[in-house]
Amino acid sequence: MSKKLDYILQLADNAMILGHRLSELCGHGPILEQDMAVTNIALDLIGQARSLYQYAAEVEGQGRSEDDMAFMRDAWKFKNALLVEYPNKDFAYTIARQFLFDAYNYPFYKLLAESKDQTLAAIAEKSLKEVTYHLRYSSEWMIRLGDGTEESHQRIQTALNELWMYTGELLEASEADTAMLAEGIGVDLAKIAPLWHQKVDEILSIATLEKPEVKWMQKGGKIGSHTEHLGFLLAEMQYLQRAYPGQEW
Amino acid sequence: MVVTKEHIWSLLEEVCDPEIPVLTIVDLGIVRDVKINDDALEVVITPTYSGCPAMNMIEVNIKALLQEKGFEKVTVTTVLSPAWTTDWLSDAGREKLRAYGIAPPQGSSEDKTALFQDEKEVPCPQCNSINTKMTSQFGSTACKSLYKCKDCLEPFDYFKCH
C-alpha cells in the first residue's frame, strides 16, 4: 500500500508545488491577461492537488486530511519532480518550465485515465481537460517568445537550456512508478517518453529554438531529495499552519 | 407525504451558483443525481473545474436549503467522472447567461489541442454583433474567456466550451 501512497503523492506534489509557484505570480504577471492566465492554471493545479491529496489521505488511512498532506509534511517527504519547484525567475523561465511539464503531464493523464484504479482514472479524466488548455497555452508562448524578438528568443533559449537537466527524472521510473505499473494502476513512462520528445521537438522547431544537448540529468525529487528551492517555497506555503496549527477560516 | 426525486430536483433549482448567481446548480449541470433512502437524502454533485472554489459553498447551500424544507438527513457527495462539460448547461441556463451579459458557449466540440486556432464567432451579449474579438483565453473564473465587441465596444465574458 505504501507504494501506492508514494505514487499518489508524486502526482499530488507535482500539482501542488507547480500550482503554488504559479500562484506567486498573482498580481505580478507581466501583463494583466497573462497574470490571469497563469493564476487560472495555478487554480486548476491546486484543485487537482486537492483531489489527489484527499485520495492519498484515504489510502494512508491514518485520519490525516488533504490539508495535513499539503501543509504538515517537510521537504524530504515531498515527491514532486525537481522541475516544478524551480523558481519563476522571469516569464521565459515560467513558460519553459510550464511547457516542459505540460508536454509530460498531458500524455500522462491521458494514459492514467485508463488506470485500473477508478479514483485515479476519474481524477485523470477530469484533469486531462484542464491540462489540455495548459499545454496549448505554454506551447503558444514558447513559439511567441522563441520566434519573437532577438531578446525574447535568447531569453527563452537560456531558460530552456538551464531547465533541461531537470526533465530526465520525469521520464525515469521510481520504485513507486514500477510497482504501480505492474499492478495496472500506474502509467508506463516508457510510453510517455517518445510522446514527450515528439511534442518538444514539434514546438521547439516552430519556435526556432535549439533542443539542448545537455546529457547529464539532475534527479531525486521522486525520492524526496530536493533542490534548495523547495524549502523556501514550503516555508512560505506552510507558514500559517506551522505557526497556528489547525487554523481554519 | 411521499418524497419524489422530481420534488427534490425542483427544490435544488433554488440553489444558485455563487459565482454566476443567475444560474442554478441544476442549470449548470452540477447536480448529477438525487438518491432517497427512507428519510435520508443524498445529492450527487460534480465540479465544473477541479479548482472551482465554489464547491464547498454549494454543498453548504444544498444542505441548508434541504434542511430548511424539513429534510434532516442530507449528505452531499462529489463525483469526478464523467467529467463535467458545458454540453450539460441547460437551454434555460444559456438564455439566462445571455441576459446577464455573459455570452453562452457556442456549439459543443472544438479541438483544444490546436495551437493559435481560429476563434469562434461569439455574438456580443449586448448588441448581438458577431464583430467580436477574444482579448484573453483566461478570464475572471476558470470557465470564462474575455472578449471585446468591436461594434458597441463593450468588453464581455464568454462562457467557454469545456
Side-chain angles (χ1 to χ4, degrees):
Chain A
M1 215 42 156
S2 77
K3 287 282 182 287
K4 184 168 175 185
L5 179 60
D6 287 350
Y7 190 74
I8 302 167
L9 286 175
Q10 281 179 194
L11 311 189
D13 292 342
N14 274 342
M16 183 73 238
I17 299 302
L18 185 55
H20 185 80
R21 269 289 179 238
L22 292 175
S23 79
E24 291 171 2
L25 287 169
C26 186
H28 301 275
I31 55 169
L32 184 62
E33 286 78 6
Q34 302 322 316
D35 190 307
M36 288 196 304
V38 290
T39 43
N40 261 280
I41 294 172
L43 185 63
D44 286 341
L45 289 166
I46 294 168
Q48 293 163 13
R50 283 194 63 188
S51 299
L52 290 160
Y53 281 140
Q54 283 166 11
Y55 188 41
E58 186 190 317
V59 166
E60 185 191 49
Q62 293 185 9
R64 292 210 285 176
S65 69
E66 53 181 296
D67 285 343
D68 296 330
M69 291 294 179
F71 297 125
M72 304 304 274
R73 285 182 305 138
D74 276 318
W76 56 86
K77 295 278 187 190
F78 274 76
K79 302 193 182 302
N80 58 278
L82 302 176
L83 177 69
V84 299
E85 68 202 40
Y86 201 88
N88 294 325
K89 287 192 143 180
D90 64 18
F91 196 58
Y93 280 86
T94 303
I95 289 300
R97 181 188 63 203
Q98 192 66 35
F99 171 68
L100 293 170
F101 184 73
D102 291 340
Y104 153 83
N105 214 19
Y106 174 75
F108 183 90
Y109 275 132
K110 217 170 187 174
L111 286 188
L112 190 67
E114 293 158 18
S115 171
K116 257 199 231 164
D117 185 286
Q118 286 189 350
T119 306
L120 284 179
I123 294 172
E125 180 194 343
K126 180 86 195 158
S127 305
L128 182 63
K129 295 185 90 169
E130 296 153 3
V131 170
T132 310
Y133 292 120
H134 305 172
L135 177 59
R136 182 172 69 184
Y137 173 80
S138 58
S139 299
E140 288 180 356
W141 271 101
M142 286 299 290
I143 296 167
R144 281 200 184 93
L145 296 176
D147 194 16
T149 64
E150 207 175 302
E151 171 82 9
S152 71
H153 175 88
Q154 178 256 317
R155 287 171 75 164
I156 190 78
Q157 184 70 60
T158 304
L160 190 63
N161 294 350
E162 199 163 315
L163 291 171
W164 194 258
M165 69 168 169
Y166 300 112
T167 56
E169 70 172 346
L170 291 173
L171 305 168
E172 196 175 310
S174 66
E175 280 183 30
D177 287 324
T178 308
M180 288 305 102
L181 174 61
E183 289 189 34
I185 292 173
V187 166
D188 186 355
L189 293 178
K191 285 187 187 158
I192 303 292
L195 297 170
W196 184 82
H197 281 285
Q198 194 185 358
K199 178 50 89 177
V200 169
D201 290 343
E202 175 202 334
I203 300 299
L204 293 193
S205 150
I206 306 173
T208 70
L209 292 166
E210 305 254 338
K211 198 173 185 179
E213 302 223 344
V214 185
K215 293 276 188 281
W216 186 79
M217 293 288 174
Q218 179 68 279
K219 58 182 180 181
K222 288 179 179 181
I223 54 165
S225 184
H226 291 278
T227 64
E228 69 274 26
H229 305 302
L230 184 65
F232 291 101
L233 182 151
L234 293 181
E236 185 177 299
M237 188 180 98
Q238 299 181 331
Y239 162 76
L240 200 106
Q241 284 301 319
R242 297 292 191 180
Y244 307 98
Q247 194 64 247
E248 284 181 38
W249 67 353
Chain B
M1 183 184 92
V2 178
V3 179
T4 62
K5 282 192 180 192
E6 288 70 25
H7 179 59
I8 304 298
W9 274 95
S10 71
L11 291 178
L12 290 173
E13 284 182 32
E14 291 177 32
V15 179
C16 294
D17 178 76
E19 284 184 345
I20 309 175
V22 288
L23 293 184
T24 72
I25 55 174
V26 176
D27 290 329
L28 265 170
I30 287 175
V31 181
R32 302 315 302 155
D33 200 6
V34 170
K35 296 171 187 169
I36 304 172
N37 282 319
D38 297 330
D39 60 341
L41 290 182
E42 183 186 355
V43 180
V44 181
I45 57 174
T46 194
T48 51
Y49 283 70
S50 297
C52 176
M55 290 310 285
N56 289 351
M57 196 167 166
I58 289 171
E59 185 177 331
V60 169
N61 290 349
I62 290 173
K63 286 183 179 164
L65 175 96
L66 292 175
Q67 274 158 6
E68 186 194 306
K69 303 284 180 187
F71 300 96
E72 295 292 324
K73 293 181 200 162
V74 180
T75 51
V76 176
T77 313
T78 302
V79 295
L80 295 180
S81 179
W84 180 84
T85 159
T86 37
D87 296 349
W88 295 345
L89 198 63
S90 68
D91 289 342
R94 285 166 201 260
E95 199 37 55
K96 285 186 215 172
L97 274 178
R98 201 189 329 270
Y100 189 58
I102 299 174
Q106 298 293 310
S108 59
S109 61
E110 80 185 273
D111 181 5
K112 295 184 184 68
T113 59
L115 297 175
F116 304 105
Q117 63 184 332
D118 289 337
E119 291 159 21
K120 284 199 169 161
E121 262 184 11
V122 176
C124 168
Q126 304 296 338
C127 73
N128 264 327
S129 162
I130 49 162
N131 186 19
T132 61
K133 183 177 170 34
M134 182 166 78
T135 49
S136 176
Q137 209 183 98
F138 296 87
S140 55
T141 64
C143 54
K144 288 177 281 178
S145 297
L146 273 183
Y147 271 72
K148 186 171 76 180
C149 177
K150 292 200 271 190
D151 282 337
C152 75
L153 304 180
E154 281 288 323
F156 64 92
D157 275 331
Y158 166 56
F159 201 109
K160 60 192 171 198
C161 291
H162 186 72

